[in-house]
Amino acid sequence: MTLLGLVGTTIGAYIISQGKMTTGGIVLLLSVLVDALDGTMARLRGDNSDFGGFVDSVSDRYAEFITFGGLLYFFLSQENYSGVMVTFAATAGSVLVSYVKARAEGLNFTAKVGILTRVERYIVLIPLLIFNQPFIAAVVIAVLGNFTALQRILFVRAQGHERMRKAREEKAREYIH
């Protein structure tokens, strides 16, 4: 199911790259729905695993890159360099939202905060593509995606400060005893 969703996203991105935003948006919608089922199906079959979750996460990142690649190609073919730059910023924000969370979790912090997670990015992107507004979609995702990454960075920073404070207190208690 994961790979089927990725193939569908690739087809949708190609259609978007050709300027057919409504059709591309509909294909993306169907692909996202298929992708949303993979984890549920694995759990129902009792077949879910850490590796399966890893593959799903990596496929999700590829799907976003491929989708934004389709938008980049479209804007380049139109010589719309503002669209290219905004799409680049949207891609960076999307990647950073995911990276900050993964890196935080690798350091035993949490970072499940922010206003534009992956699901919300698709909630913004797909309808705006269907209504043939790719530039607006890219702008919203660029602004709110990078804002979400910043929210997560600040959230992890607060946890880091709290962790350091507790460590200092523990060290002070050990010193007293």
Side-chain angles (χ1 to χ4, degrees), residues 1 23 32 34 39 49 54 78 84 87 102 120 130 145 152 172-173:
M1 291 299 283
T23 305
V32 168
V34 167
S49 67
F54 171 77
Q78 302 297 304
V84 169
T87 302
E120 286 85 7
I130 290 172
R152 289 182 172 189
R173 276 193 292 274

Side-chain angles (χ1 to χ4, degrees), residues 19-115:
K20 298 173 184 166
M21 299 301 157
T22 301
T23 305
I26 292 168
V27 171
L28 280 183
L29 174 62
L30 296 173
S31 300
V32 168
L33 293 174
V34 167
D35 183 53
L37 295 175
D38 62 355
T40 303
M41 288 181 60
R43 282 187 292 281
L44 290 173
R45 287 191 321 237
D47 199 22
N48 58 327
S49 67
D50 290 340
F51 181 70
F54 171 77
V55 169
D56 184 53
S57 292
V58 171
S59 295
D60 290 346
R61 300 299 75 77
Y62 270 117
E64 285 193 273
F65 276 125
I66 290 166
T67 300
F68 287 125
L71 274 176
L72 278 170
Y73 186 91
F74 168 74
F75 286 128
L76 279 169
S77 71
Q78 302 297 304
E79 296 184 11
N80 181 340
Y81 301 114
S82 296
V84 169
M85 294 310 296
V86 168
T87 302
F88 175 80
T91 306
S94 293
V95 170
L96 282 169
V97 167
S98 300
Y99 177 77
V100 169
K101 179 177 175 274
R103 185 67 180 120
E105 289 172 352
L107 296 170
N108 295 315
F109 293 116
T110 61
K112 290 185 177 185
V113 298
I115 59 174

